[in-house]
Amino acid sequence: MTTIQENDDKTRIVWKSHRVNILLTVTDKRGRFITDLTKDDFEVLENKRPQKNHGVHRAKPICPSASPILVDTSNSVRDRFRFIQEAAIEFINSVIRRARTGRWW
């Protein structure tokens, strides 16, 4: 359930959820991925109390070209826009380099 409440000229978003996705990666001592885990291999606690585990789902790999990049182009950053633009370009280039070598971490 999502509600938007007006309070003192500020917008407040309240979100109540009964299910939360927890994204994680599990590796062994050598850094190799462990991919055969089931929900029985995990215990979910909230305030030291066990919570229901609805299951383990493997995410599909994210294609770097499908990752959005947001850049602030408002007047408030006009004097720093060149730096922001160069940082975004460097980030994209580093992602492409990792994709070509197959090293993501």
Side-chain angles (χ1 to χ4, degrees):
M1 174 175 84
T2 304
T3 59
I4 299 177
Q5 302 170 349
E6 294 292 329
N7 185 7
D8 298 329
D9 295 329
K10 294 181 181 177
T11 301
R12 183 176 150 198
I13 298 174
V14 178
W15 187 290
K16 294 181 182 180
S17 177
H18 298 287
R19 186 178 287 191
V20 176
N21 291 326
I22 301 171
L23 304 176
L24 56 98
T25 301
V26 180
T27 58
D28 63 14
K29 291 179 182 179
R30 294 183 177 172
R32 295 177 296 200
F33 295 112
I34 300 174
T35 60
D36 59 350
L37 300 173
T38 68
K39 74 177 192 171
D40 296 328
D41 295 311
F42 295 92
E43 182 178 22
V44 180
L45 303 174
E46 181 179 0
N47 295 326
K48 300 182 182 179
R49 293 193 318 255
Q51 302 296 307
K52 182 167 175 103
N53 181 345
H54 292 280
V56 174
H57 307 283
R58 286 168 191 78
K60 294 179 182 177
I62 298 173
C63 174
S65 63
S67 300
I69 295 177
L70 302 176
V71 177
D72 183 356
T73 60
S74 65
N75 286 335
S76 65
V77 297
R78 180 180 289 176
D79 59 328
R80 293 171 286 175
F81 182 72
R82 173 65 88 195
F83 170 78
I84 294 169
Q85 185 180 31
E86 289 171 359
I89 291 168
E90 180 58 32
F91 172 75
I92 292 168
N93 286 334
S94 71
V95 169
I96 291 171
R97 262 185 252 118
R98 282 190 217 126
R100 288 182 182 151
T101 63
R103 294 181 309 188
W104 291 99
W105 308 110

